[in-house]
Amino acid sequence: MTLSQQQTIAAAVDQWVTGIPGRIPGHVVFAENPAHAGYAKDLAVEGSVVLVVDGDADDPDIVSVKGSFDEPGGELLLGGTLNLEIQDYVALPFVNLVGATVVRITGLEDQQAFFDDADEARRSGHFIVQLTEVNAVLSERGLLGGYGSLNRSLSRIHITADGTILNGPYGTVIGWAGDPLHDLRIKAVPLKPESAVASISDASEMRAQLSDRPWIPRYLAALDAWKFILRDHHADTRLVGFGLSLYGATESHNHPLPGAPFILERHGEYRLLDTKTGRLFKIGADAATLIEAISNLRDVEAAATVTATTLGVSPAAAEGSARSVVAQFDQLGIDLLGELR
């Protein structure tokens, strides 16, 4: 198997696990029963990947899967090359992640633990260490991250062992084996994003939890940010916006958009991390303060007003400095607001 094939399989599996479209050009079809392999292939379009449990390893049109995705502590082997461990969210703090691990949110207990941990991270800056590991893949991230109506693209089609078709491994019923792709799309389009967990959780409760925490996409982006930070630095690094504000941000202030850079504080020094490029910039405390406010408020004048006292200058002087900071990073190709997701 070539490197490009391995990369395609990995991207397809990521799309199947997270529900985020665009990882591959087409959709992912996952069949739990090899008897549905032919039908699964019929559902494929250009750029699709078909995953079949115990499928024919010699069939070039499918990726054979060994193992079970529905057993915590189990493993999946895909295409003979990609190995995934499976863990439920509630067990995550008690395990060491050795290889690539799918972290499943499969019920109310997992769901509540995830939101409790997110609340704690926002309040105190404490993150679950395992979630910050490079090899941790959080399931249903498309739903949690607010990727809009995921069903319009029908990024994944899951065929259960008895032929029921779901819009994801834990989704809602959109058809049965034999239904044409067109019909599946029609049934999927009007579904709410939380339908992705309808078979294993209370979708309305998930919707309510997310509605109460519009900052969850920023929290997920923070988990990604940790993956750019040297592991040896984790213990004494803090992310501004999570248990730390440089100007005294209040609850009425937004968190930055998910794509905005992060400000890192370590030993009293500040750096700006652009997770889109991995670039890191050393910045002064005043610049860090202004950037936090600009990212939160998404308005330079408002940012200058709330930071002037902290900086010990007039609002007019703070605004001049803020505009200068924005201009400097704009020249470097860094979008401080994160509007270009």
Side-chain angles (χ1 to χ4, degrees):
M1 185 175 292
T2 66
L3 179 60
S4 61
Q5 289 173 314
Q6 292 175 338
Q7 291 171 330
T8 297
I9 292 173
V13 171
D14 185 85
Q15 183 165 304
W16 171 67
V17 170
T18 66
I20 300 175
R23 300 306 205 226
I24 59 173
H27 50 254
V28 182
V29 184
F30 190 106
E32 296 182 21
N33 188 335
H36 296 133
Y39 171 61
K41 289 193 289 185
D42 290 341
L43 293 176
V45 298
E46 184 177 357
S48 290
V49 173
V50 178
L51 308 171
V52 181
V53 176
D54 295 327
D56 183 357
D58 295 324
D59 186 338
D61 295 324
I62 69 171
V63 176
S64 180
V65 179
K66 300 294 181 182
S68 171
F69 72 93
D70 213 22
E71 296 180 7
E75 292 186 353
L76 275 183
L77 180 63
L78 301 105
T81 60
L82 177 61
N83 191 71
L84 293 178
E85 297 182 13
I86 311 296
Q87 287 292 345
D88 285 350
Y89 187 91
V90 292
L92 189 64
F94 309 104
V95 299
N96 293 320
L97 304 190
V98 178
T101 302
V102 174
V103 182
R104 307 184 312 162
I105 298 178
T106 59
L108 288 178
E109 188 178 7
D110 284 329
Q111 183 176 308
Q112 191 59 56
F114 168 79
F115 287 117
D116 286 347
D117 290 340
D119 289 340
E120 179 63 25
R122 188 183 189 217
R123 180 172 54 252
S124 71
H126 172 74
F127 290 79
I128 298 299
V129 173
Q130 289 85 346
L131 278 179
T132 68
E133 299 284 346
V134 174
N135 51 358
V137 182
L138 189 64
S139 72
E140 303 308 330
R141 181 158 178 167
L143 165 61
L144 298 171
Y147 281 80
S149 180
L150 308 176
N151 300 311
R152 294 194 179 279
S153 62
L154 197 56
S155 61
R156 53 190 179 166
I157 300 171
H158 192 92
I159 310 171
T160 67
D162 67 1
T164 304
I165 301 177
L166 311 174
N167 62 334
Y170 305 110
T172 197
V173 176
I174 57 173
W176 291 268
D179 289 353
L181 178 61
H182 177 264
D183 289 357
L184 301 181
R185 290 191 188 279
I186 289 176
K187 292 179 180 178
V189 164
L191 295 175
K192 300 293 185 181
E194 59 268 19
S195 68
V197 295
S199 67
I200 47 87
S201 184
D202 183 340
S204 62
E205 176 65 20
M206 174 65 82
R207 180 173 62 248
Q209 295 269 27
L210 289 170
S211 178
D212 288 343
R213 301 169 177 82
W215 45 267
I216 286 292
R218 182 61 173 176
Y219 168 66
L220 296 175
L223 295 177
D224 286 342
W226 281 109
K227 297 172 184 180
F228 289 88
I229 302 168
L230 293 176
R231 180 175 293 187
D232 291 346
H233 292 180
H234 277 207
D236 49 13
T237 295
R238 297 189 294 171
L239 271 59
V240 171
F242 290 89
L244 172 66
S245 174
L246 303 179
Y247 70 92
T250 68
E251 286 292 323
S252 65
H253 293 184
N254 294 322
H255 263 268
L257 294 173
F262 281 87
I263 302 169
L264 314 179
E265 185 277 331
R266 182 170 183 262
H267 297 164
E269 295 186 345
Y270 299 92
R271 285 175 171 76
L272 186 80
L273 169 65
D274 178 33
T275 56
K276 295 177 185 177
T277 63
R279 289 191 291 176
L280 201 61
F281 303 88
K282 187 173 182 179
I283 57 177
D286 288 354
T289 302
L290 289 167
I291 291 170
E292 181 198 1
I294 291 167
S295 297
N296 284 348
L297 301 173
R298 298 163 208 169
D299 181 273
V300 170
E301 185 175 351
T305 299
V306 300
T307 58
T309 300
T310 300
L311 299 178
V313 298
S314 68
E319 182 176 346
S321 296
R323 294 193 183 282
S324 176
V325 167
V326 171
Q328 288 175 357
F329 278 102
D330 187 55
Q331 290 177 352
L332 294 170
I334 305 297
D335 173 22
L336 293 181
L337 296 185
E339 292 177 328
L340 302 177
R341 188 172 184 175

